Amino acid sequence: MEAQDAWKAALNQLEIQLDRANFDTWLRDTVFLALEAPDEPDKAATFVIGVRSSYARDNLQHRLYRSVRRVLRDVYGGPVELQFQIHKCEETAALEPADDMPLFRYMAHQPADTPSVPLYEQLAPPRQPDLPESHLNPRYTFDRFIVGGVNNLLFSAAQAVADHPASVYNPFVVYGGVGLGKTHLLQAIGHACQARGLRVIYIPSEAFINDLVAAIRNRTTAMFRDKYRSIDVLLVDDIQFIAGKESTQEEFFHTFNALHTFNKQIVIASDRHPRQLEQLEDRLRSRFEGGLVMDIQLPEFETRVAILESWAQERGIHVARSVCETIAERAHTSIRELEGLFTQIVAKTQLSQQPLTRATAERIVEQYERPRQHGKARITLEQVLNMTADHHELTPKDLTGKRRTGRINHARQIAMYLAREITDASLPQIGDAFGGRSHTTVLHGYNKVAELMEEDDNFRYELMALRERILRGED
Ligand code: ADP
Ligand code: MG
């Protein structure tokens, strides 16, 4: 095929493969400029492609190079390299009819003597079991993951995995609730490994299932296996969805073993500890537990504030510390929630052009919380006291009273911790409810429990379970 046509065909394929924003931003306006023949036969020819800006050039060069090259190579039928040059050209815009049907656009641009490779061939997915460049979210990098306190260790472990794939912790399993940053961390490992030229697949387990089902249907299981076994790093997200799916687990088990045997890194995210994935086959469970299993937790208040500040900085806006604190205080379930609140507040203040004060933020947070709490009463201090006491086989009076035996004191501090985490009460209000104690006593109790949570896994599980029960309003 002529080089120029190959570029057009490659663009049409890329339009299908990439998400729209990526394609429109970086590739739609590119033009074919020249083909530089290789110095020696068998070596790669270089496609010289015109782009509109140096920004587009850098991005294509650094982020999309391999996806583009792979597609182009398949279309062109031989090894290729790419070179991007800045090129401003009015014709570019005129070239593309304004329709949204890439196939038709492609045909419209075909010269009369169209080369013999049929269209469906050119638009087919790559024939070789080549690496699908994983579509990693460009925002999910290590440097955008703010670390502090509870997640320090986890972050270091993830970095160690990325720095020394398959040699430190293999598999590396991260588990924890929704919106705490598991996907972000998995993809950060992916980015770091890709940057060093390793072949990475990031895949949510549902997509792995779909892929497998399609391979079985199309009788391409051999290709499926090659694909997943020819990589350096496999990142499987939300593994909980393969629990209970026998044939998928079977295939995954073999994939896992093949990769592990050949010293390839496997990273897994789950919403629960593998032990608690009830329908996971034992042999997979024991494989997972043979690696490093770590949980991810909601970062403490200070870190949540730091996350907000980094987001503000990223967007080039100024958000007062007191506003960040207001948001960070309210978002106590996940970073996703923090993100939701932040986005709302930024959007609303931009729309209404109000200054971003603490009061504005508070009002917006209120509005945001109302629908969420619809039909559900807020958690009261009384509920926390009752349920914590009950859990420890004590009475609420024990917790609010003066006695200071070890057992009572421990339960009291847990109740203070929970009161601060899941009710709206301020420290002095909590102190009052605990028999007129000072807010520093409450804070001391809170910190004690937070510390213990870091040290003691079992304690943390128990506390989390109690917290869930209170939030669900069980008795
Ligand atoms: P999960 O996969 O655990 O449900 P995600 O990885 O999707 O959670 O994280 C939810 C959002 O919170 C993402 O936008 C992510 O970038 C952000 N996020 C989570 N943890 C952090 C952190 N420590 N620093 C910055 N952003 C974070
Ligand atoms: Mg996720």
Side-chain angles (χ1 to χ4, degrees), residues 39 62 166 172 198 203 262 284 298 311 424 434:
D39 307 338
H62 296 301
F172 178 49
L198 296 177
I203 190 161
F262 288 103
L284 266 180
L298 181 70
W311 287 343
D424 297 331
F434 281 80

Side-chain angles (χ1 to χ4, degrees), residues 423-434:
T423 73
D424 297 331
S426 64
L427 291 175
Q429 283 169 341
I430 298 173
D432 283 347
F434 281 80

Side-chain angles (χ1 to χ4, degrees), residues 137 139-140 144-148 151 176-185 237-238 269 296 299 303 307 310-311 334-337 339:
N137 183 331
R139 287 188 59 237
Y140 290 174
R144 285 198 166 91
F145 194 89
I146 309 300
V147 202
N151 288 329
V178 183
L180 293 177
K182 299 182 296 296
T183 299
H184 188 138
L185 217 47
D237 206 348
D238 292 323
I296 189 165
T303 312
I307 292 176
S310 87
W311 287 343
S334 74
I335 301 301
R336 180 150 332 279
E337 182 188 24
E339 211 175 17

